[in-house]
């Protein structure tokens, strides 16, 4: 019953912990839905069989984790643009607070194929520094690099995925638009801005 109620009446997001949970959950969903969904479509009836093969399973997990690191960056850029206060110093404080989410969330787990997230952290720092001083990007625009990454890493033969970057990009855009719609419904903007700037 609780799950059904939350589906039709999703809980509001008004605290830092709730915001972190939202960003983490949406980023995870974006990555998993896109990577696994694409693999299922391209392999069709062979998908379950391929999951029994360690090489395919490990490659899919690698892609999913790398996609997650990228979609988490997408989510935080989107959230900062939507919550951004109009004046300083609140604007800077809010962006600084959100920037700290990325290493805190990503550092909770390091997958077996990595020793650390140093390159992802550095890439996010560069991206976020630019995004926070630019006009907020539209939801469907923030996932372009994630689509390129997934297209490159997804464990499907190059000859079969060669022309599918736009397919992956379209899938990610659709899911990000849904995440943005959820933000509009669930975020309590004033409460979140206050929590992130004090």
């Amino acid at each position: 019953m609780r799950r059904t109620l939350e589906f039709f009446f999703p809980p509001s997001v008004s605290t830092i912990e709730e915001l972190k949970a939202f960003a983490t959950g949406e980023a995870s969903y974006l990555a998993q839905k896109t990577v696994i969904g694409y693999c299922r479509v391209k392999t069709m009836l062979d998908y379950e069989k391929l999951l029994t093969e360690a090489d395919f399973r490990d490659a899919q997990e690698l892609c999913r984790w790398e996609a997650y690191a990228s979609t988490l960056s997408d989510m935080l850029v989107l959230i900062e643009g939507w919550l951004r206060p109009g004046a300083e110093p609140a604007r800077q404080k809010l962006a600084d607070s959100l920037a700290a989410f990325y290493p805190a969330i990503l550092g909770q787990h390091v997958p077996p194929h990595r020793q650390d997230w140093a390159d992802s952290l550095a890439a996010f720092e560069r991206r976020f520094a630019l995004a926070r001083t630019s006009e907020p990007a539209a939801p469907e625009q923030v996932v372009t690099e994630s689509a390129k990454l997934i297209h490159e890493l997804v464990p499907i033969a190059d000859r079969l995925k060669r022309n599918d970057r736009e397919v992956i990009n379209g899938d990610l855009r659709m899911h990000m638009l849904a995440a943005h719609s959820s933000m509009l419904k669930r975020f309590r903007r004033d409460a979140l801005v206050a929590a992130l700037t004090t």
Side-chain angles (χ1 to χ4, degrees), residues 11-160:
S12 64
V13 176
S14 58
T15 69
I16 287 178
E17 288 308 310
E18 290 168 351
L19 184 58
K20 285 181 179 178
F22 178 90
T24 302
E26 292 296 330
S28 179
Y29 179 82
L30 280 166
Q32 182 160 313
K33 188 73 173 177
T34 305
V35 172
I36 294 178
Y38 180 79
C39 287
R40 280 186 178 276
V41 168
K42 297 302 287 188
T43 59
M44 297 172 55
L45 297 178
D46 291 329
Y47 181 73
E48 296 299 330
K49 180 181 177 182
L50 284 168
L51 285 180
T52 67
E53 299 179 10
D55 287 348
F56 177 84
R57 190 170 61 248
D58 291 348
Q60 182 179 260
E61 273 298 282
L62 182 151
C63 182
R64 188 176 67 85
W65 271 108
E66 295 301 315
Y68 170 67
S70 187
T71 55
L72 179 60
S73 173
D74 297 338
M75 283 304 309
L76 293 175
V77 166
L78 185 68
I79 290 169
E80 188 278 329
W82 192 77
L83 290 178
R84 184 184 297 171
E88 299 290 2
R91 184 169 175 168
Q92 181 175 340
K93 287 182 179 179
L94 183 138
D96 287 345
S97 295
L98 286 174
F101 280 22
Y102 191 77
I105 294 171
L106 206 57
Q108 291 175 357
H109 187 83
V110 179
H113 72 276
R114 277 185 167 272
Q115 293 184 332
D116 56 46
W117 288 109
D119 59 329
S120 295
L121 296 176
F124 173 76
E125 187 174 337
R126 291 191 298 271
R127 180 189 186 186
F128 199 77
L130 178 62
R132 65 190 289 176
T133 59
S134 305
E135 285 296 313
E140 65 273 20
Q141 294 176 338
V142 300
V143 296
T144 302
E145 292 303 314
S146 292
K148 290 180 182 178
L149 178 71
I150 293 172
H151 182 257
E152 177 185 346
L153 295 178
V154 74
I156 300 296
D158 287 344
R159 63 184 175 82
L160 298 176

Side-chain angles (χ1 to χ4, degrees), residues 5-15 17-26 75 82-83 178-192:
L5 287 172
E6 287 184 356
F7 178 80
F8 288 105
F9 305 100
S12 64
V13 176
S14 58
T15 69
E17 288 308 310
E18 290 168 351
L19 184 58
K20 285 181 179 178
F22 178 90
T24 302
E26 292 296 330
M75 283 304 309
W82 192 77
L83 290 178
H180 181 252
S181 177
S182 182
M183 282 173 51
L184 297 181
K185 293 176 183 176
R186 298 177 59 191
F187 279 21
R188 300 298 177 260
R189 189 178 183 280
D190 290 347
L192 287 170

